[in-house]
Amino acid sequence: MTALQVDFHRVSLESLRAMAVGHASEADLRLLCSAQRSQLLLVLRALLDHVDEAARRNPHPHVASPSRTAWRLMCETQERAPEALETVLADPTVMAWALRLLRRLGGAGTGTRTGAPMWADLGQFQALAAAAAVRAGIPCVLRVPAQRGMVWLPGAGMAGPVARRRWSEAEVQVHGQGALVRGELGQVSLSRAFPASAPGWRPLKVVSGLAHGVGSATGASPWLDTVSPYRDFVHYPKAPGRASDDRLRIWDRRLADAYALLDQEVPAEAAALRVLVRTFVPRSFRTAEGGLVASASSLDAFGAITLSLPHDDTQAAAVLVHESCHQQLNALLSLVPMVRRFDGGADQPREQALHYAPWRSDPRPVNGLLHGVFAFAGVGRFWRTHRRHVTGAQSERADFEFAVLREQLQEAVAALLTDDDLTGEGRLFVSEIADLVAMWQDEEVAAGPYALARHYCALRRAVWRARHLAIPDDAADRLAAAWTAGAPAPAVPASILRPRPDLIRVDTFAPLARFRLSSPGPFARRRLREEKGGDPALRAGYAAVAGDMEQAALGYAEWSAQDPQDPEAWIGGVLACPEQARGAGAALTLDRPEVVYAVSREVVAAGGDSPALLDLAAWLSRTGT
């Protein structure tokens, strides 16, 4: 804003190592927040160079306040009441608006869908200045956009409706004690402190009892944001939500309980969450018992997490750790390049390698896998500690989560360290995580959760391979012809990646496992109901999760009979068999199911009968594959 001494944001190797394993200091976290604030100021300054010219090309008769007027007002606010401006800039949706507008002005895709006319997007510059001026008590008059009569005051909330049309303009008249927001339909009067409730006022809700402390940018409690037009990561502007006060109180309690749990068990993760996360954006999503939560972070909105309501405080704590890790890595990657960029141009195309990310159903590039490794390492740290604080069903659930993540992370970090696109800093960062995960492998886990975790990891890995890996078509033809002729199997070549997003289905095994471990009674009752149904896949899943492998094998066999070409059915069937009874082809079915799948498909395509898959796998295994 005003001229200040320029400094650089630098991350030491010592800090990089510490952040990799969840030991970021307060100074490290403050550095990340400071760097993000600097980025926001640079984006706002870049917008200033283009907004007024763009406004002349996209005129609107009443929103005519030049952006430089708004900029000067923000500079004045910084000088007279810096905390007022900081509260506005700390709203993550300000960064979301600014970055999307900058890309829009440059003709680049925003990565999001917008329904805002250009003049309205441009006019939000005035909304920033108005919100800061109200908090500072600086008299001014600004004209701002109104969507369906609602006026955005960043860092505070939405005022209105003051107009009828989908897009119109309104006037914010600031006086010493507050402001008057006026439009063609009416007006809203606001006090300088922005009230918790008032006629025509939809505020950001403060999450009670969660003061961030000295490490945060503002020292304030986080917000529940159900109103800001730029709070959605996919579409903007978004109208204010209709969450009831009762629903918001549930959110408030769930988040407060999660923070309390983290404070008690993993204070380092709690400290990172308090510093890095400013806003929670509730989203609608029907969760499975003890299982699934939809959550996300965005590069465009540092400090904002969108999530559906977690089932309980433990699930909420795990999700908050996961997303705060994404926030931390997003900020860190803006300072430390961990993945190489290739700038060879259109005449030198280069495809980035894709990898198996055990927590995803689709192949992931190195940057995506790096994000997953760091976020799930944080979640692994949480479950590793949490299992020491609980007993009974909660202990079994924690053991399962820890056992799953340590196995998945071990595989994922090994893949990352083979990727040449990691920079030296990236390799150092991942190596620190790999060393931590290696230390987890020998820790004792209860037998039941351990067996269930191993079963789940093996199922997920094999199904992913069957979907996204393949052998060359000519090799599959040769193998199918040899099988049909009763000849020995030719050598099987290496598999290649052929992503098949059309084959991806929602993972049901993990939610069922979490349901059983969290709520064994309701799980058993639900299983009894499902056994009377007609879906063999669901019956097989319930039986496998319950440890009833005899019934699971029957369910998978029925599923395979209905759809012999569905690899998930016969992979599940193999896993349902006791290891000592699986036969010669079981190992190949689990290790390289894509080979069995490809040859079986070619045999059927050539007019033959669908092979018995374990017999086919045993025949293939004799090639030494």
Side-chain angles (χ1 to χ4, degrees):
M1 311 301 287
T2 56
L4 296 172
Q5 183 177 357
V6 175
D7 196 3
F8 294 96
H9 304 288
R10 293 192 177 94
V11 177
S12 69
L13 291 180
E14 180 182 2
S15 292
L16 188 64
R17 289 190 177 97
M19 283 189 271
V21 294
H23 294 160
S25 67
E26 182 182 316
D28 293 330
L29 298 171
R30 291 169 69 100
L31 172 69
L32 297 180
C33 291
S34 178
Q36 287 295 301
R37 182 186 181 280
S38 295
Q39 179 180 324
L40 173 59
L41 294 181
L42 288 171
V43 172
L44 292 176
R45 185 61 184 81
L47 283 176
L48 187 64
D49 291 334
H50 302 289
V51 165
D52 288 338
E53 175 58 32
R56 283 190 287 272
R57 295 196 306 269
N58 299 271
H60 189 271
H62 300 296
V63 181
S65 303
S67 294
R68 291 189 182 274
T69 300
W71 181 267
R72 286 193 293 271
L73 181 56
M74 286 190 283
C75 291
E76 181 182 353
T77 305
Q78 185 190 48
E79 293 173 354
R80 293 173 55 178
E83 70 284 352
L85 183 63
E86 289 305 316
T87 300
V88 173
L89 297 184
D91 185 339
T93 61
V94 172
M95 175 74 91
W97 159 76
L99 283 171
R100 293 167 186 174
L101 178 56
L102 189 62
R103 295 190 199 109
R104 190 177 182 184
L105 292 173
T110 65
T112 52
R113 300 189 302 272
T114 179
M118 179 64 85
W119 68 263
D121 244 359
L122 297 168
Q124 302 294 13
F125 225 119
Q126 278 61 251
L128 266 67
V134 174
R135 288 188 179 277
I138 300 176
C140 63
V141 177
L142 291 168
R143 298 200 66 81
V144 297
Q147 180 195 8
R148 301 192 186 280
M150 301 298 292
V151 171
W152 180 40
L153 294 172
M158 297 282 284
V162 296
R164 294 186 178 87
R165 288 170 291 164
R166 182 179 180 188
W167 286 103
S168 57
E169 65 290 331
E171 182 181 85
V172 180
Q173 190 176 73
V174 183
H175 50 80
Q177 299 306 311
L180 198 63
V181 181
R182 275 200 294 221
E184 61 189 30
L185 185 63
Q187 62 186 32
V188 175
S189 181
L190 298 172
S191 66
R192 179 175 169 182
F194 288 113
S197 63
W201 176 237
R202 300 285 300 276
L204 297 172
K205 296 288 189 181
V206 175
V207 182
S208 62
L210 299 187
H212 278 60
V214 296
S216 70
T218 64
S221 294
W223 294 309
L224 272 174
D225 186 354
T226 62
V227 298
S228 299
Y230 297 89
R231 69 189 186 277
D232 193 280
F233 296 163
V234 177
H235 178 270
Y236 75 94
K238 192 175 180 68
R242 300 183 181 276
S244 67
D245 288 341
D246 287 344
R247 185 72 170 172
L248 291 176
R249 278 192 289 270
I250 294 172
W251 272 99
D252 190 279
R253 289 196 301 271
R254 191 65 41 83
L255 292 172
D257 289 345
Y259 270 69
L261 189 154
L262 293 173
D263 280 332
Q264 178 182 356
E265 296 183 6
V266 283
E269 310 293 349
L273 179 66
R274 279 187 157 85
V275 173
L276 298 173
V277 177
R278 186 73 182 93
T279 297
F280 299 103
V281 180
R283 63 191 291 184
S284 176
F285 189 80
R286 188 176 181 275
T287 62
E289 291 89 342
L292 194 60
V293 172
S295 67
S297 296
S298 171
L299 276 169
D300 284 358
F302 176 74
I305 293 174
T306 177
L307 72 164
S308 57
L309 183 66
H311 178 67
D312 56 24
D313 58 341
T314 304
Q315 186 185 55
V319 171
L320 296 186
V321 169
H322 177 95
E323 293 301 337
S324 68
C325 285
H326 281 306
Q327 299 285 331
Q328 186 172 340
L329 188 56
N330 278 336
L332 184 58
L333 288 173
S334 71
L335 300 175
V336 181
M338 296 194 209
V339 178
R340 300 185 196 283
R341 294 182 179 179
F342 184 74
D343 299 319
D347 58 336
Q348 299 181 45
R350 178 179 180 275
E351 291 187 4
Q352 196 176 50
L354 298 176
H355 300 279
Y356 170 51
W359 37 81
R360 295 277 302 217
S361 296
D362 55 335
R364 300 295 287 162
V366 60
N367 194 66
L369 186 58
L370 175 63
H371 256 284
V373 161
F374 183 63
F376 281 106
V379 180
R381 292 191 300 269
F382 165 72
W383 287 113
R384 177 175 178 261
T385 300
H386 182 65
R387 66 199 190 104
R388 301 168 187 163
H389 290 80
V390 290
T391 58
Q394 293 183 57
S395 177
E396 289 204 337
R397 164 73 187 278
D399 271 350
F400 169 77
E401 300 289 359
F402 174 65
V404 166
L405 286 173
R406 71 177 179 181
E407 182 169 337
Q408 291 182 335
L409 285 163
Q410 185 178 42
E411 188 167 7
V413 293
L416 266 181
L417 290 172
T418 65
D419 197 304
D420 293 336
D421 283 337
L422 280 184
T423 64
E425 294 85 354
R427 196 165 299 280
L428 173 66
F429 190 79
V430 175
S431 294
E432 292 292 323
I433 300 174
D435 290 344
L436 176 66
V437 171
M439 293 169 54
W440 294 349
Q441 300 305 313
D442 294 329
E443 294 194 17
E444 186 176 350
V445 174
Y450 176 74
L452 189 57
R454 292 295 306 277
H455 184 111
Y456 172 60
C457 290
L459 174 67
R460 191 159 181 82
R461 183 186 305 109
V463 170
W464 187 93
R465 289 188 65 99
R467 286 171 177 160
H468 300 301
L469 295 179
I471 57 175
D473 294 340
D474 57 347
D477 290 341
R478 286 196 305 272
L479 287 161
W483 165 266
T484 302
V492 179
S495 298
I496 55 178
L497 184 68
R498 287 181 181 171
R500 290 289 304 274
D502 56 302
L503 296 179
I504 293 174
R505 287 200 303 266
V506 174
D507 174 23
T508 58
F509 192 95
L512 285 179
R514 292 176 177 120
F515 182 22
R516 177 205 159 193
L517 293 169
S518 300
S519 308
F523 172 87
R525 292 191 291 273
R526 185 77 59 82
R527 183 190 171 197
L528 285 175
R529 291 200 299 271
E530 293 298 340
E531 284 180 347
K532 300 175 184 178
D535 186 351
L538 197 54
R539 294 202 309 273
Y542 267 98
V545 166
D548 186 351
M549 292 307 174
E550 183 177 349
Q551 288 299 313
L554 291 174
Y556 284 120
E558 185 180 346
W559 182 4
S560 292
Q562 289 183 1
D563 188 356
Q565 294 301 308
D566 190 327
E568 188 170 353
W570 42 267
I571 290 168
V574 170
L575 286 169
C577 293
E579 288 191 36
Q580 64 273 18
R582 286 178 182 174
L588 182 68
T589 303
L590 298 178
D591 294 341
R592 297 194 67 191
E594 70 277 8
V595 177
V596 184
Y597 179 52
V599 177
S600 173
R601 188 178 63 244
E602 290 304 320
V603 169
V604 173
D609 294 331
S610 182
L613 293 167
L614 284 178
D615 291 343
L616 176 60
W619 174 76
L620 287 164
S621 67
R622 289 193 286 272
T623 68
T625 303

